[in-house]
Amino acid sequence: MNTMDQQGMVKKRLAVLVGCNYPNTRNELHGCINDVLAMKETILSRFGFKEKDIEVLTDEPESKVKPTGANIKTALRRMVDKAQAGSGDILFFHYSGHGTRIPSVKSAHPFKQDEAIVPCDFNLITDVDFRELVNQLPKGTSFTMISDSCHSGGLIDKEKEQIGPFSVSSNISPDMETTNKTITSRALPFKAVLDHLSSLTGISTSDVGTHLLELFGGDAGLKFRLSAMDLMDLLETMTARERHVDSGILLSGCQADETSADVGVGNGKAYGAFSNAIQTVLKEKEGALKNKQLVMMARDVLERLGFHQHPCLYCSDQNAEATRFCSNLGMRNHTVKAAQESVQKSEEFDIRRSPISIAAAIIYIITQLSDDKKLLRAWYAKGEEDLKNLQTP
């Protein structure tokens, strides 16, 4: 379902969903593909996305397009290119997979390391790449990113922290449901990334950029293609522009210095702890949710289940209170179901016979979508009676 804004333009909802399980490697995870498939179902059934506007990249063996660094960035750029200025288009990116941190050249960086996601080919995508992407958004659009990966706090460079490491979390007694589950960290230490890349290039250096440029050339991230001086100049330019054009919204699975959990459940479906918390909140809470509400509720779910990770929110003050992505387009779950049932029920009317049946079918559907059913059902009865009178000679 596409929605219409006040000017009558079609508001598109576009999504790129990426799940990396790194099968048959020492870094293998199990819940990442399940995360994005669950999210795909959610945005289709609840948030009004269309199948044709959703691109899914996974590294399962039968996948035709693997989530390499180049493929992920191409999919994201393609999504941005489809958005139109002033349209209110909503762009959504969900990533489940490994995260890492690499040495930073940025001054006054709190951890002296930059956050990055780890595509299946280890062609790292850093916070600088995501900042550049956000700065390319047409005015009036938004980019919501959910990253269920380690060290994901701060993955959009220079994005304002709304819920971060120093936020007060509620004191909920954990149920400790994690005791019978297999927990794997979605973190790859920098050394593990470096060792893997070194084994591919055969070059002996601790400079990760050297390896990435050797392997991927122009497809490597901005951080690795630019000199330190040029990168600093670029970051200053980005920061200046970001004050005026900032539509990025990051919901991170944990703080920048924390890890996110990949949960195995025996014969059940594996999942990411943060992705599962998001799904839990959406099932429990019908109606629109503000970004701040969603993150804090997810924190509560994780705390209750005994996970030691704290989702964070990075965005503008306005977007912290917004429901642009996490909304039901004005329709609650039960209302959507009622609409579907009403359409099926309306087939009982033979709309070919007379305009009375057509009107009756329409009015019936309206009654099912209304919270004030008694009033509208009375209107339905009277409306059909009036139509009959009009048909009477």
Side-chain angles (χ1 to χ4, degrees), residues 159-176:
E159 199 63 70
K160 184 176 180 179
E161 178 186 289
Q162 298 289 342
I163 300 175
F166 303 106
S167 298
V168 178
S169 184
S170 58
N171 296 316
I172 299 175
S173 299
D175 294 339
M176 299 309 294

Side-chain angles (χ1 to χ4, degrees), residues 131 134-135 137 156 158-160 241-249 315-316 319:
R131 166 47 61 194
V134 169
N135 279 356
L137 291 173
I156 301 178
K158 304 297 183 184
E159 199 63 70
K160 184 176 180 179
R241 187 175 178 212
E242 169 256 334
R243 295 191 188 102
H244 306 286
V245 186
D246 186 18
S247 301
I249 304 166
C315 62
S316 67
N319 282 330

Side-chain angles (χ1 to χ4, degrees), residues 10-30:
V10 175
K11 180 187 294 185
K12 294 190 292 290
R13 293 179 173 236
L14 310 169
V16 173
L17 312 177
V18 175
C20 296
N21 275 343
Y22 318 91
N24 304 314
T25 71
R26 67 176 64 184
N27 307 307
E28 186 169 10
L29 299 172
H30 300 282

